[in-house]
Amino acid sequence: MTHRSAATTVGLSAQGLGLQRGGTTILADITLSLPATGSVALIGPNGAGKSTLLRALAGLLVPDHGTVRLGDRPVAALPTAERAATIGFLPQHFAPHWDLRVVDLVRLGVERGGTASPDAAATDSVAAVLAAHGLGPLAQRRWSALSGGERARVLLAMVLAVDPPVLIADEPGASLDVRHRIGVVDGLARRGRDRLCIVAMHDLDLAFRAFDRVVLLAGGRLAAAGTAADLFHDRRLDRAFGVDFMRLETPHGRLLQAVARPDDADIGSGRN
Amino acid sequence: MNAARPWPVLAAALSAMLILAVAAGHDWAGPADLLRAATGHDDLRSRLLIDWRLPRVLAAACVGALLGLGGAVFQGVFRNPLAEPYLLGSAGGAALGASVALLVPLGLPQAPLLAMLAFLGAWGATFVVMAIARLAGTVDAAGLLLAGVAVAAVLGALRSFLMLALSDDTVNLQVVLSWSLGGVQTPRWPALAGLMLATLVGLAATLPLARGLDLLGLGDTMAAGFGQDVRGFVDRAVLVGAAVVALAVAFGGLVAFVGLAAPHVARWLVGPLHRALLPAAALVGAILVTAADALARSALPPAEIPLGLVTAVAGGPFFIVLLARQLRP
């Protein structure tokens, strides 16, 4: 990893983001500034707008209001090839339509959209990416022949192939068992040491344990943002999720135990 | 899954099929006849083979190559192995355009007009199917196919109406009808040269789409994340695909299922990456249509079976198997 000085690295910021779809407000007036390096967990209840916010931050979706900036440049104004090389986006679901080999998938990640590199150079970088992610033995395997954990690693290798300074991930490893999920998420959080890594997730304990900063979204609005240590004790967390949290400090980190409120007792019972 | 040496196999298969097709007919030519014709003997039989059968066989191969290419492009764009020019309405659109050119007295030279209207029809129909799918928010197999079937039905009705309303003594209805059943006419050498050139241009125009089609196969989100302008690319690819299909329809009429089957066979042989898939689909398409055309000429002498009927009878079951496999949960 090359060293990056603070002056040349870029942070990601959002100014007054708003988005409506079919009369429903998905995002409203989100202003957020993220440093050039660091790991950020994006949390919030279902339908809070996490995925939409991530897509807007990644430049994959143009908001109705507001701007996303990478450093001092609007993301929307970046040439697509540059945007693709700078901001990596790890989608929640990935299912390629054709049964490609691992080496082909990684190659698509290496070359990105516009950059058609000479064959030899591309082959070298593909081999390097495969080796870096421990996928060498799987290179010739087809997608359909991979296990869930292997697929997650291939997807990660594709997105990280160009080592983007910013990585945005939407519930990575959501479909994996706990061991693989923690492996993926911890790896992403570690990228925050010299990159910016923004991860939406449902596992609050993992969010508060592994990430520097936490951003809380509720009803399309920014409910709270701060360091993981500060936000852990914030009562807005309870309000956003509609539960009461018991906060446990353990030798291995902070734990949140959710307790349903008495008036919510009907949610699971099927009665209204 | 992949043959070790797919390209030599494909080239050999195409060569063998071309030779077999030249020999085939209600009057089969033997190896001695073929050898005499190939070495420039000037007897009646040799002239028949060289000036009559050979151009037809080569034209059939070109039409097949274009259909295979068009099918591969459309399957790539719609990310659906069931997408096919004939089923998605683009072939029907091309047929409507061509029927207008053949039947409506517009007072323009017919050959360029037919190609132009066939292209507009193919492009317009595909665009409508795509718009319906986008509007319904569905690009799954069933939704897309139903939209295609609906559009194809409307276009077929319009074409039938044109044929009924405008056929009179000055227009040979028989020509239009047999053309819409699919069939390669024996071209004169200049026309054949034009078709072969057009086929090469079609291949050259689709090959630059290969990387984009690969990216598109990752899904919209990944493709956009990897820097693809998804919507712009899809529109461009559909334009190229429609042009290729229009060429095939202009020269070969409505030939069903080749655009479906050729990319499938090609995928078995060379894998799903489009840089290899596109030329392989063209070769397989050429082999399939050459074979079907030879069969159409020689199965029921002295009559000739319309080419579209042969491919439909052979391709229909193939499609049903694919459909069953895809719709099974």
Side-chain angles (χ1 to χ4, degrees):
Chain A
M1 299 289 142
T2 54
H3 178 73
R4 289 152 180 268
S5 73
T8 57
T9 48
V10 286
L12 201 59
S13 62
Q15 186 69 47
L17 287 192
L19 185 98
Q20 281 91 33
R21 282 290 178 272
T24 314
T25 300
I26 313 281
L27 295 178
D29 197 28
I30 290 186
T31 297
L32 186 66
S33 186
L34 299 172
T37 63
S39 58
V40 181
L42 179 63
I43 59 172
N46 290 334
K50 297 189 294 291
S51 292
T52 311
L53 176 59
L54 288 185
R55 295 171 67 86
L57 289 176
L60 299 178
L61 178 152
V62 181
D64 298 336
H65 312 284
T67 347
V68 176
R69 284 173 201 279
L70 186 70
D72 52 2
R73 300 166 70 193
V75 165
L78 291 178
T80 48
E82 187 183 342
R83 197 246 305 141
T86 314
I87 306 177
F89 185 81
L90 197 66
Q92 190 173 351
H93 302 291
F94 173 61
H97 293 269
W98 308 116
D99 199 14
L100 298 177
R101 293 172 304 169
V102 169
V103 62
D104 301 327
L105 289 165
V106 168
R107 187 175 181 131
L108 286 172
V110 167
E111 294 185 346
R112 299 282 143 127
T115 54
S117 43
D119 256 22
T123 308
D124 284 354
S125 15
V126 170
V129 172
L130 285 169
H133 288 83
L135 293 172
L138 298 182
Q140 298 300 320
R141 288 266 286 278
R142 294 200 174 267
W143 177 261
S144 59
L146 300 176
S147 71
E150 289 166 344
R151 289 179 178 187
R153 272 160 58 206
V154 171
L155 176 59
L156 205 60
M158 291 169 71
V159 174
L160 296 182
V162 294
D163 196 13
V166 180
L167 179 74
I168 295 177
D170 194 357
E171 290 191 41
S175 57
L176 298 179
D177 62 39
V178 62
R179 169 173 152 247
H180 287 100
R181 188 174 73 241
I182 289 180
V184 168
V185 174
D186 275 344
L188 294 181
R190 274 198 303 277
R191 271 185 80 79
R193 288 177 195 158
D194 54 1
R195 301 277 189 279
L196 175 58
C197 190
I198 308 164
V199 180
M201 51 198 306
H202 272 298
D203 187 334
L204 301 183
D205 294 323
L206 199 51
F208 280 102
R209 178 175 65 71
F211 288 77
D212 312 334
R213 300 163 66 88
V214 174
V215 172
L216 173 64
L217 212 57
R221 291 175 183 278
L222 192 68
T227 64
D230 287 348
L231 210 66
F232 182 68
H233 295 286
D234 199 311
R235 305 308 294 186
R236 284 176 289 188
L237 213 52
D238 306 55
R239 224 173 303 144
F241 282 95
V243 295
D244 291 319
F245 285 113
M246 291 197 306
R247 290 157 167 84
L248 311 170
E249 303 270 2
T250 76
H252 303 292
R254 312 179 188 91
L255 291 178
L256 288 167
Q257 174 71 53
V259 179
R261 291 172 176 166
D263 50 315
D264 269 357
D266 288 345
I267 283 185
S269 70
R271 283 181 288 123
N272 277 314
Chain B
M1 172 182 262
N2 297 353
R5 309 174 70 87
W7 299 109
V9 169
L10 277 172
L14 178 60
S15 309
M17 187 50 72
L18 288 175
I19 294 169
L20 192 66
V22 171
H26 56 83
D27 174 26
W28 279 72
D33 300 326
L34 291 178
L35 195 67
R36 256 206 317 281
T39 48
H41 276 259
D42 197 20
D43 54 275
L44 189 66
R45 207 174 165 80
S46 295
R47 293 204 64 84
L48 178 87
L49 290 179
I50 294 294
D51 288 342
W52 195 248
R53 283 213 191 139
L54 183 61
R56 161 114 180 215
V57 166
L58 291 177
C62 287
V63 166
L66 289 167
L67 285 172
L69 267 184
V73 170
F74 279 118
Q75 289 185 8
V77 166
F78 290 101
R79 289 163 284 194
N80 192 322
L82 294 180
E84 203 250 358
Y86 191 76
L87 293 171
L88 284 174
S90 57
L96 178 63
S99 301
V100 170
L102 289 171
L103 291 171
V104 182
L106 293 171
L108 293 164
Q110 203 172 65
L113 184 71
L114 189 137
M116 192 64 216
L117 288 181
F119 166 68
L120 285 179
W123 181 63
T126 312
F127 210 79
V128 169
V129 170
M130 212 161 57
I132 294 172
R134 275 179 183 162
L135 207 64
T138 168
V139 284
D140 68 340
L144 204 61
L145 289 175
L146 287 176
V149 166
V151 169
V154 172
L155 293 171
L158 284 176
R159 196 159 46 81
S160 301
F161 173 76
L162 271 183
M163 285 164 65
L164 287 174
L166 293 174
S167 61
D168 53 30
D169 296 341
T170 64
V171 178
N172 192 343
L173 188 62
Q174 190 66 36
V175 170
V176 182
L177 189 65
S178 74
W179 177 84
S180 72
L181 289 173
V184 179
Q185 304 303 317
T186 302
R188 306 179 73 81
W189 286 107
L192 178 64
L195 175 57
M196 292 173 89
L197 188 67
T199 307
L200 288 178
V201 169
L203 186 62
T206 48
L207 277 180
L209 300 174
R211 183 79 341 165
L213 290 171
D214 289 339
L215 277 174
L216 208 57
L218 301 178
D220 284 1
T221 301
M222 282 293 274
F226 282 176
Q228 185 176 49
D229 166 17
V230 172
R231 192 134 186 176
F233 174 79
V234 166
D235 288 346
R236 202 167 70 234
V238 164
L239 202 68
V240 173
V244 167
V245 170
L247 270 173
V249 170
F251 280 94
L254 282 176
V255 179
F257 293 123
V258 174
L260 175 82
H264 273 278
V265 177
R267 226 172 267 123
W268 291 332
L269 290 170
V270 302
L273 278 180
H274 285 86
R275 194 166 51 171
L277 178 64
L278 290 169
L283 283 174
V284 173
I287 294 170
L288 290 179
V289 173
T290 306
D293 183 59
L295 196 66
R297 281 185 286 116
S298 55
L300 290 176
E304 189 174 301
I305 310 171
L307 174 62
L309 296 193
V310 176
T311 63
V313 167
F318 185 80
F319 174 75
I320 291 167
V321 170
L322 289 178
L323 186 68
R325 266 179 36 184
Q326 183 164 13
L327 294 186
R328 188 182 303 154

